[in-house]
Amino acid sequence: MIIALIPARGGSKRIPGKNIRPFLGKPIMAYSIEAAVKTGLFDKVIVSTDDEKIADVARSYGAEVPFIRPERLSDDHTGTDAVVRHCLEWHEKRGDIVTHICCIYATAPFVQVEDIIKGYEKVCEEGTASSFSVTPFEYPIYRGLKLSEDGHVEMIWPEYQSSRSQDLPEAYHDAGQFYWLNVSEMSEEGPLFFSRNARPVILPSWRVQDIDTLDDWKRAEQIFRMIEKKTKSKFIKKGGSSMTDSILMAGRPVGEKHPCFIIAEVGANHNRSYDLALRHIDAAVEAGADAVKFQIYSADSLYSKKTPRHSGYDKDLHTLISEIETPREWLPKLADYCNKKNILFFATPFDHEAVDELNKVSEFFKIASFELVDLDLVRYCASKGKPMIISTGLADMEEIEDAYRACVEAGNENIVFLQCASVYPAPPHIMNLKSMETIRRAFGTLVGLSDHTPGVHISVAAVAMGASVVEKHFTLDRSMEGPDHPFAIEPDELRELVRQIREVESAMGDGRKLGPSQEEMEFYQKARRSLHASRDIKAGETITEGMLTCKRPGLGIAPKHSDILVGRTAEIDIERDQWITWEMI
């Protein structure tokens, strides 16, 4: 068994909550968990913690927390070796044979999949006890200085005073990312990793940053942004992308390995009635939606009064919009009500003022399809540093890239692009759900669907195709007056949407084929085929092919072993139609 172990105690003092503090949109520990999983090396990815909150976050990102670390191993003075030994002892008591273990630090967002794999290759070399990440000192340490007792400066190694830098031996220091151990070579009492039989994985210094203080944290985020920006720019030019696995929406992980984030879009269906707005929130909560969304706009800043009339509406668009504006004074009260009801609140801003107002009450933003081309608005919204959900109705790939670049240039890469057809209602044949994968491959972002089709089936199909977010307009009653009521789903349909999405998610599985589930075991035993006696067989008889038949149940020897069975001698009398087991021959 090969294990990844991520130590993450809860008592960090210099940076409170350090191990699950958001680092550019997701808990810093998530980077280590995701890197470990992506290597494909590990039978288990375990987080060792004394904190239940950390344990919950770890599980949400795919790690196991099979034990809570004891108090004696949870103080400031507990070293990595002690935590690793505790994990190995825990498995040994359960009869598990661990051959290799890799300790990955929880605060290592720069850790790379390929480096962990290199470490494994090195630790598997003959005679190697351990392998871990190191990086060169940026300045020749042999030119180091110290202060003498009388306060003068002197060299630590004066023998190197006249040596050229290029003639000095290269010196390295621990990079603080990962540490591999060959358990069979483990020292019983000495240091686990820093032995004479250790091999290095050398990392460039620009990919290494200790994170012990808030200043370190800010510096690490800046470096990470620069690396990601450079990497993504390179990928976009080549037509590929590095993939974002998940982001945080107000502390809630959203991504491929997490439940679909379901948005109940109220929009303007409150009809400017605060009570009706609250009733919509209540209905969304009852249906099980993750978030409820409104829209914040002003007719004067949204539409020219000279806009040509749309064939689908009885009123000109400026007048229509002016009649359904969400009163902005509602925002703090709506946010507070949603918080009490345990549902996330956010809205689509249509002007800079709305961005500022929503920034005070919401932890993420939505950009509407029609506003995707307003790059100034997109950039301003992205500059707030909060996750961005952007609909892409009407857009081509160049326009989506423009919006993507506007966010990245503002220092924000926490983006979800939603496929959308901007017709109300939208016919299914124009939904183009496959474009979600096109967008994901091009930009590496999470993707989803803003769905204006009748019913809920298109949204459910989108989830099966990889949508991490689904947005659906809903109303308490489609017969109400207003432009968005007729194509919206009603509370019973919203409830059904949530139910079906959760069922589809549970049906997706993990892709591994490991034989029957527990629920299938009775059919596995009674309805599968196995080898049976086609006639009575006496004890001592040599079994021939003609004595065997293949039928249900599957309680006997598997049919593929018939050639092994032929030529064996029956140990006991076997009646006709009896399944044959290995104990009978």
Side-chain angles (χ1 to χ4, degrees):
M1 179 183 293
I2 302 176
I3 292 174
L5 178 67
I6 301 172
R9 69 182 184 89
S12 176
K13 294 177 180 177
R14 285 185 286 184
I15 306 178
K18 173 180 176 180
N19 291 315
I20 54 174
R21 179 186 173 95
F23 184 94
L24 297 178
K26 62 184 175 184
I28 193 167
M29 178 176 65
Y31 294 89
S32 298
I33 295 172
E34 291 171 348
V37 171
K38 286 180 182 177
T39 64
L41 292 173
F42 301 107
D43 298 293
K44 292 183 179 180
V45 177
I46 293 174
V47 169
S48 170
T49 184
D50 59 329
D51 187 285
E52 287 292 350
K53 188 174 182 180
I54 291 176
D56 289 342
V57 172
R59 293 185 186 103
S60 74
Y61 279 90
E64 299 180 33
V65 188
F67 53 79
I68 293 297
R69 197 194 302 182
E71 186 176 348
R72 63 183 173 81
L73 296 178
S74 302
D75 60 22
D76 292 342
H77 304 291
T78 300
T80 300
D81 282 14
V83 176
V84 172
R85 288 185 188 277
H86 171 258
C87 179
L88 291 173
E89 289 166 2
W90 186 89
H91 282 88
E92 185 178 3
K93 288 177 181 177
R94 282 152 184 78
D96 298 330
I97 299 174
V98 179
T99 60
H100 297 82
I101 188 168
C102 182
C103 178
I104 305 174
Y105 280 175
T107 52
F110 297 102
V111 69
Q112 299 290 309
V113 170
E114 56 267 31
D115 293 332
I116 298 174
I117 294 173
K118 285 179 185 176
Y120 176 66
E121 292 171 349
K122 286 179 177 290
V123 82
C124 288
E125 294 176 8
E126 185 175 354
T128 301
S130 63
S131 176
F132 57 90
S133 56
V134 302
T135 192
F137 281 97
E138 295 185 9
Y139 182 83
I141 62 170
Y142 300 99
R143 290 274 180 80
L145 304 175
K146 65 179 180 179
L147 295 181
S148 64
E149 293 182 0
D150 59 2
H152 291 96
V153 176
E154 58 185 41
M155 291 190 70
I156 300 174
W157 295 284
E159 61 270 29
Y160 294 112
Q161 182 173 357
S162 301
S163 301
R164 300 183 305 167
S165 296
Q166 59 265 41
D167 296 331
L168 295 171
E170 188 82 79
Y172 301 87
H173 64 87
D174 176 13
Q177 293 190 6
F178 60 88
Y179 308 82
W180 274 100
L181 177 67
N182 181 343
V183 178
S184 66
E185 300 284 340
M186 183 177 76
S187 168
E188 291 297 326
E189 296 181 356
L192 294 182
F193 304 105
F194 294 89
S195 68
R196 292 184 60 83
N197 295 325
R199 291 189 176 274
V201 176
I202 301 173
L203 309 182
S205 58
W206 53 268
R207 264 209 291 119
V208 175
Q209 173 66 49
D210 282 339
I211 304 179
D212 294 319
T213 67
L214 287 174
D215 283 344
D216 293 339
W217 192 283
K218 293 175 183 176
R219 187 179 303 111
E221 287 188 322
Q222 291 172 344
I223 295 170
F224 196 95
R225 284 193 185 101
M226 287 190 291
I227 294 172
E228 286 290 285
K229 184 175 182 179
K230 181 178 180 180
T231 302
K232 287 192 175 181
S233 175
K234 177 179 69 176
F235 273 120
I236 288 172
K237 289 176 183 176
K238 291 183 177 180
S241 156
S242 59
M243 297 295 182
T244 297
D245 292 319
S246 64
I247 62 176
L248 283 181
M249 295 287 187
R252 186 174 305 185
V254 175
E256 292 182 341
K257 297 179 181 178
H258 304 285
C260 177
F261 191 71
I262 302 173
I263 300 168
E265 165 76 274
V266 178
N269 286 344
H270 50 70
N271 290 358
R272 292 181 63 86
S273 164
Y274 183 69
D275 177 67
L276 186 56
L278 298 186
R279 287 166 56 200
H280 273 85
I281 294 172
D282 291 340
V285 171
E286 185 179 348
D290 296 296
V292 63
K293 186 174 83 68
F294 291 79
Q295 297 182 7
I296 311 301
Y297 44 69
S298 298
D300 287 343
S301 62
L302 191 61
Y303 271 106
S304 165
K305 293 180 180 179
K306 298 180 180 180
T307 302
R309 182 167 293 200
H310 192 286
S311 62
Y313 302 106
D314 296 331
K315 301 175 182 179
D316 69 85
L317 293 172
H318 181 278
T319 300
L320 180 68
I321 291 297
S322 67
E323 293 176 351
I324 58 174
E325 295 173 358
T326 301
R328 301 191 183 206
E329 60 269 20
W330 288 3
L331 294 179
K333 295 187 292 182
L334 290 174
D336 185 58
Y337 189 78
C338 286
N339 186 52
K340 291 177 180 177
K341 292 288 184 175
N342 197 30
I343 190 169
L344 298 179
F345 167 82
F346 75 120
T348 302
F350 289 78
D351 52 63
H352 286 222
E353 184 181 359
V355 172
D356 292 334
E357 292 166 335
L358 286 169
N359 192 44
K360 298 175 184 177
V361 297
S362 178
E363 292 303 313
F364 48 102
F365 294 103
K366 169 72 193 296
I367 296 294
S369 292
F370 300 117
E371 274 54 55
L372 175 137
V373 293
D374 187 346
L375 298 181
D376 185 51
L377 176 64
V378 172
R379 191 176 293 108
Y380 185 69
C381 197
S383 72
K384 302 301 181 181
K386 296 180 177 180
M388 301 277 288
I389 302 174
I390 304 176
S391 283
T392 61
L394 310 177
D396 59 23
M397 290 299 286
E398 181 179 351
E399 290 168 327
I400 297 172
E401 181 174 344
D402 290 341
Y404 173 80
R405 290 189 180 279
C407 292
V408 172
E409 288 166 5
N412 191 337
E413 298 179 20
N414 295 313
I415 307 164
V416 183
F417 282 121
L418 303 186
Q419 166 58 7
C420 179
S422 297
V423 185
Y424 311 92
H429 73 271
I430 68 169
M431 289 308 296
N432 193 14
L433 296 183
K434 289 184 178 180
S435 68
M436 293 190 298
E437 181 63 16
T438 302
I439 295 169
R440 176 145 176 75
R441 287 183 178 275
F443 304 106
T445 65
L446 299 179
V447 293
L449 181 70
S450 179
D451 181 18
H452 303 134
T453 62
V456 300
H457 54 297
I458 302 300
S459 288
V460 176
V463 174
M465 294 177 67
S468 296
V469 175
V470 163
E471 174 186 80
K472 191 79 173 171
H473 282 259
F474 89 108
T475 176
L476 297 186
D477 186 348
R478 267 193 293 270
S479 66
M480 286 184 180
E481 186 175 346
D484 292 349
H485 291 287
F487 68 87
I489 59 175
E490 294 182 338
D492 287 347
E493 295 170 295
L494 179 59
R495 190 179 303 111
E496 183 65 9
L497 171 68
V498 175
R499 186 191 69 79
Q500 289 191 26
I501 285 176
R502 299 304 179 222
E503 283 196 358
V504 166
E505 287 173 332
S506 70
M508 294 293 286
D510 59 11
R512 298 181 296 170
K513 285 292 288 181
L514 302 176
S517 65
Q518 188 60 42
E519 293 84 351
E520 294 174 298
M521 284 307 298
E522 187 170 5
F523 277 111
Y524 177 76
Q525 295 170 343
K526 297 177 181 178
R528 257 197 168 198
R529 294 189 176 217
S530 63
L531 295 174
H532 288 59
S534 62
R535 67 168 178 81
D536 290 338
I537 304 174
K538 297 294 184 181
E541 273 194 272
T542 299
I543 296 175
T544 65
E545 187 175 346
M547 297 178 183
L548 304 177
T549 186
C550 181
K551 61 170 63 177
R552 302 177 184 183
L555 298 173
I557 296 171
K560 68 178 181 180
H561 297 312
S562 61
D563 58 335
I564 299 176
L565 190 55
V566 171
R568 298 287 186 97
T569 301
E571 288 285 328
I572 61 173
D573 290 342
I574 305 173
E575 294 182 357
R576 181 180 180 275
D577 220 27
Q578 174 64 49
W579 55 85
I580 302 174
T581 65
W582 292 113
E583 291 76 19
M584 296 177 180
I585 59 171

